Amino acid sequence: MNIIKVKDYEALSEVAANIIIEAVKSKPEISLGLATGGSPVQLYANLVKDHKENKTSYAGVSTYNLDEYIGLDPSHEQSYNTFMKNNLFNHVDINLANVHLPNGNTSDHEAEAKRFEELVANTTIDLQLLGIGTNGHIGFNEPGSSFDGKTAVVDLVQETIESNARYFEGNEDLVPTQAISMGVGTIMRAKAILLIASGKNKAEAIKWLVEGEVSEDLPASALRNHPNVTIVLDEDAASLLQ
Ligand code: F6R
């Protein structure tokens, strides 16, 4: 694992955005795996800024998002579909026909998970962006998830619901309790992985990921078995590392 430590969230967002920008420039038809949440917000803003200033083009890029809440229509303001449009897709020249997210509002969630897994299986994700949960989840693969897991309907644990309530008026009752998420096995098929983590609340999970036991109790530790992982950390997220 290649570990890059920087000062703060701003520096992290710049370094990680540059990795993606360089990847897009070197392969204009790149297939990107994308994440939502607080961690990549500034990174996406940097991609948008670079697109406007330097004309890096996303016209040939395809994207596959990690996950989507079940029960929210794609047009819901807190859906990950809306997040991606607001933070990235609406501001660059990407062809919306080439952006792919699970749909959390179909009549058959299992079938939708299967459809998405097949879609991802039929491509090679060149670069997968990941955040990490305070409990070490990647995507919505909570502790105990199989390292071989495929895209599936998953239950969010209480810690994740509490953490994500900040996007739902601080009200845990409004946070969906399930999601469709790429599995750890799905994520591990990406050619390269870029994980970003910022803040003291991520320090325990990062310590385990980098120095602890590889175990399904910390889903992100699967990445230790992946040949091409870059982790960008700010000082707070790296603060417990030896
Ligand atoms: C989001 C995702 C999650 C987040 C993680 C960290 O698509 O799959 O695994 O990356 O929950 O979230 P933030 O960045 O909000 O701390």
Side-chain angles (χ1 to χ4, degrees):
M1 285 195 297
N2 175 25
I3 299 175
I4 303 174
K5 289 185 208 165
V6 297
K7 187 169 186 335
D8 54 17
Y9 178 70
E10 205 179 347
L12 171 157
S13 304
E14 198 176 315
V15 168
N18 285 338
I19 291 172
I20 294 180
I21 291 164
E22 289 312 315
V24 170
K25 280 186 185 158
S26 67
K27 185 173 182 187
E29 313 235 301
I30 195 169
S31 183
L32 293 176
L34 297 178
T36 57
S39 305
V41 167
Q42 185 61 41
L43 181 165
Y44 290 142
N46 289 342
L47 297 188
V48 171
K49 183 166 179 278
D50 164 76
H51 168 72
K52 294 201 167 28
E53 288 175 0
N54 304 317
K55 308 281 178 265
T56 304
S57 176
Y58 293 78
V61 173
S62 301
T63 65
Y64 297 83
N65 264 80
L66 283 167
D67 41 24
E68 178 60 283
Y69 288 121
I70 281 183
L72 300 190
D73 190 75
S75 64
H76 188 282
E77 65 168 340
Q78 291 307 338
S79 77
Y80 286 164
N81 195 306
T82 299
F83 174 100
M84 289 309 304
K85 286 187 173 143
N86 288 345
N87 285 281
L88 184 65
F89 299 153
N90 285 350
H91 310 290
V92 296
D93 62 343
I94 199 160
N95 180 349
L96 287 182
N98 295 338
V99 317
H100 309 280
L101 291 98
N103 183 339
N105 197 25
T106 67
S107 57
D108 186 342
H109 303 310
E110 305 287 345
E112 172 60 9
K114 193 159 179 284
R115 177 195 73 82
F116 197 75
E117 176 68 19
E118 280 165 13
L119 196 66
V120 179
N122 282 326
T123 189
T124 302
I125 293 186
D126 294 294
L127 179 59
Q128 173 70 55
L129 175 66
L130 295 177
I132 183 170
T134 51
N135 62 2
H137 74 207
I138 49 175
F140 274 129
N141 298 288
E142 304 285 21
S145 301
S146 164
F147 280 178
D148 296 327
K150 298 185 165 149
T151 306
V153 174
V154 295
D155 295 324
L156 276 54
V157 298
Q158 185 58 23
E159 184 172 340
T160 301
I161 291 171
E162 280 167 22
S163 167
N164 289 5
R166 67 195 194 276
Y167 300 112
F168 293 85
E169 304 162 26
N171 184 348
E172 283 173 30
D173 296 339
L174 298 178
V175 183
T177 56
Q178 288 189 307
I180 294 175
S181 175
M182 283 190 201
V184 177
T186 320
I187 293 168
M188 289 289 282
R189 288 202 304 266
K191 274 208 235 166
I193 290 180
L194 171 62
L195 183 143
I196 55 174
S198 164
K200 277 234 150 47
N201 61 339
K202 301 291 171 73
E204 292 273 4
I206 290 299
K207 185 176 173 58
W208 185 341
L209 162 58
V210 176
E211 296 169 0
E213 185 197 351
V214 174
S215 155
E216 288 175 352
D217 290 340
L218 191 98
S221 68
L223 302 178
R224 293 252 297 279
N225 295 329
H226 191 285
N228 188 348
V229 177
T230 300
I231 301 182
V232 189
L233 304 171
D234 69 6
E235 276 176 5
D236 284 341
S239 58
L240 295 177
L241 293 180
Q242 294 288 318

